[in-house]
């Protein structure tokens, strides 16, 4: 099963980091956010990815084109071009990087991939957020419900520190916990190929008519994820993810190594 990662947006809300690269290429712990997302899926043995690129798509293409060199030590004879690999330790991923246009909307980017995806179930998520989601369980849930689409509902991160109060005394203080109320669309979709027929063209937002229509028709399942979920919309979000990575146990990869 292929996994589409929507990675073509302009990233204007974090423009300090996106002047020269798309948001999914912002690094956390020295690795692009794209790598972190792919590692999450690879943990569940899903290792074929379609990157729907757009803004600064050449940066994404260069990274994966040079992935072998960036992630291995080697010796090169500059006179002959002969290269000897001193260390070979790479993930067995297959990555398609497709330029889906600079100003194409999320649904339009997806529709441009129809031929590559083919007539099969596929997964899709946004390229700017990570979660501690169990991908294998998400897929099992989708198959069991037998609907055209599944989205992952998440608790939004709280903007402020949380307090528990007893009278005039604070009994518990939590720095920016996950919200305990309400659900939002957190990405991490599973789609049947019929989704393509519900996307009119490049200007279609996936989050508007395609998903709204599926909901009206009773064809949109909701997989509830109560655990960690964090988008990277601001520099504060980036610093949070960096701190979690530096802790040695980031919640989206929880004590395992893909490489």
């Amino acid at each position: 099963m292929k996994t589409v990662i929507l990675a073509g947006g302009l990233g204007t809300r974090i423009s300090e980091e996106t002047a020269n690269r798309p948001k999914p290429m912002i690094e956390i712990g020295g690795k692009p956010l794209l790598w972190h997302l792919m590692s999450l899926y690879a943990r569940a043995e899903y290792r074929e990815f379609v990157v729907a690129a757009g803004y600064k798509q050449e940066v994404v293409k260069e990274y994966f084109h040079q992935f072998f060199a960036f992630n291995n030590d080697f010796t090169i004879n500059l006179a002959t071009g002969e290269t000897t690999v001193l260390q070979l330790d790479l993930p067995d991923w297959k990555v398609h990087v497709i330029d889906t246009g600079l100003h194409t909307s999320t649904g339009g980017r997806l529709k441009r991939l129809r031929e590559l995806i083919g007539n099969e179930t596929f997964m899709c998520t946004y390229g700017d957020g990570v979660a501690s989601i169990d991908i294998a369980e998400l897929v099992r849930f989708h198959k069991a419900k037998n609907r055209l689409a599944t989205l992952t509902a998440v608790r939004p991160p709280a903007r402020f520190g949380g307090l528990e109060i007893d009278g005039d005394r604070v009994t518990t203080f939590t720095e920016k916990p996950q919200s305990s109320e309400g659900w939002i669309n957190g990405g991490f979709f599973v789609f049947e190929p019929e989704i393509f027929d519900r996307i009119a063209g490049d200007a279609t937002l996936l989050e508007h008519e395609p998903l709204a229509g599926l909901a009206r028709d009773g064809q949109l399942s909701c997989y509830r994820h109560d655990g960690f979920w964090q988008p990277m919309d601001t520099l504060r979000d980036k610093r949070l993810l960096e701190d979690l990575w530096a802790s040695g146990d980031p919640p989206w990869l929880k004590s395992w190594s893909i490489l």
Side-chain angles (χ1 to χ4, degrees):
M1 190 185 299
K2 297 180 181 70
T3 300
V4 174
I5 302 178
L6 298 171
L10 298 177
T12 53
R13 285 180 291 181
I14 189 171
S15 58
E16 302 92 337
E17 290 281 344
T18 56
N20 298 307
R21 57 184 169 177
K23 185 158 59 165
M25 292 302 295
I26 296 173
E27 293 184 354
I28 302 298
K31 299 284 189 180
L33 198 59
L34 270 179
W35 178 91
H36 291 271
L37 277 167
M38 291 176 175
S39 297
L40 175 63
Y41 281 94
R43 183 185 190 186
E45 303 299 327
Y46 295 102
R47 301 174 182 270
E48 184 170 1
F49 304 96
V50 183
V51 181
Y55 174 70
K56 300 290 183 183
Q57 51 88 23
E58 66 277 6
V59 176
V60 183
K61 290 180 177 178
E62 178 68 13
Y63 174 75
F64 286 108
H65 189 259
Q66 298 296 329
F67 194 92
F68 185 92
F70 289 158
N71 290 275
N72 284 288
D73 296 332
F74 58 87
T75 300
I76 184 169
N77 185 322
L78 296 181
T80 65
E82 181 182 357
T83 302
T84 303
V85 177
L86 304 178
Q87 171 196 345
L88 182 59
D89 188 14
L90 294 173
D92 57 340
W93 303 344
K94 184 175 183 179
V95 181
H96 312 265
V97 182
I98 309 298
D99 181 6
T100 55
L102 181 59
H103 299 293
T104 311
S105 295
T106 47
R109 293 190 191 283
L110 200 57
K111 184 150 189 171
R112 287 194 181 202
L113 303 174
R114 184 172 195 165
E115 184 175 345
L116 178 59
I117 297 298
N119 190 34
E120 61 181 33
T121 306
F122 67 99
M123 290 182 286
C124 176
T125 196
Y126 304 112
D128 60 356
V130 289
S132 59
I133 187 171
D134 185 334
I135 296 296
E137 179 59 30
L138 169 64
V139 173
R140 285 193 291 269
F141 176 89
H142 173 77
K143 291 179 178 179
K145 298 304 176 182
N146 197 32
R147 297 189 179 107
L148 295 183
T150 298
L151 66 74
T152 297
V154 299
R155 304 287 195 182
R159 292 181 59 203
F160 307 102
L163 301 178
E164 292 184 9
I165 301 173
D166 181 9
D168 61 359
R169 183 174 65 89
V170 176
T171 59
T172 304
F173 175 82
T174 306
E175 177 62 18
K176 295 188 180 68
Q178 296 291 122
S179 173
S180 61
E181 298 182 3
W183 296 91
I184 63 172
N185 169 25
F188 296 98
F189 304 98
V190 187
F191 289 129
E192 297 302 319
E194 288 85 350
I195 185 68
F196 295 120
D197 295 328
R198 292 172 176 262
I199 302 171
D202 281 358
T204 303
L205 284 165
L206 177 64
E207 301 77 14
H208 287 184
E209 181 52 34
L211 291 181
L214 286 166
R216 285 195 305 270
D217 296 343
Q219 289 294 324
L220 182 60
S221 296
C222 174
Y223 177 79
R224 290 179 175 87
H225 173 63
D226 250 321
F228 175 85
W229 175 83
Q230 179 63 51
M232 188 174 63
D233 289 330
T234 66
L235 286 177
R236 178 177 291 181
D237 295 335
K238 179 181 184 294
R239 285 193 291 268
L240 170 62
L241 292 174
E242 284 279 17
D243 289 344
L244 290 171
W245 179 264
S247 74
D249 194 22
W252 62 95
L253 296 183
K254 277 298 178 188
S255 301
W256 64 277
S257 175
I258 198 66
L259 293 180

